[in-house]
Amino acid sequence: MGNLEPLRKCLDCGLEAHNEDDLKMFKKRKQAKHGRANLCRKCTSNRAIKNAKERLEKVKFDNRKWQKKHKEKVRCQKYRRNYGITLNEYNNILELQDYKCKICGTSEESHTGKLAVDHCHTSNKVRGILCRKCNTALGLANDDIDILKEMILYLEENN
């Protein structure tokens, strides 16, 4: 017997099917010659995985693009929802504080991210803009003046 032309050949890897048993390596497809797909099962799977990864990357890219485009809008909504102020009011307070933490005086550039809005948790009144460290320190002391006074006394006695 001479060279027999294969019944089906995978377009990606070149795998050939020469008989009915070999054709089982190709998925069924009614419209195709011999009722089988042009890709073997392994290459079909690899393409599906590759396409899914590409779609996922596109979705991630689109989400990052959307977040970047709407960053100011999202910040504005956060300030309005959490503190009852607008982004302009935040910027005005920050300008009055010379763009520095109201307690320690460090600037926004020396921190990662924006300075935090400090507010009273009972009245929801905004007290100022603080760096993350100062805002966290107040929160850990439960905004309790007596605890903070005791902390000062402790430091004065032990330094």
Side-chain angles (χ1 to χ4, degrees), residues 47-61:
R47 273 197 186 183
I49 290 168
K50 180 182 169 217
N51 290 340
K53 285 180 180 177
E54 286 172 1
R55 283 192 306 275
L56 181 62
E57 283 304 312
K58 184 180 180 335
V59 167
K60 284 180 181 178
F61 174 77

Side-chain angles (χ1 to χ4, degrees), residues 20 30 83 108 134 137 148 151:
E20 290 298 318
K30 289 181 183 178
Y83 314 113
E108 198 170 62
C134 290
L148 294 168
M151 291 171 86

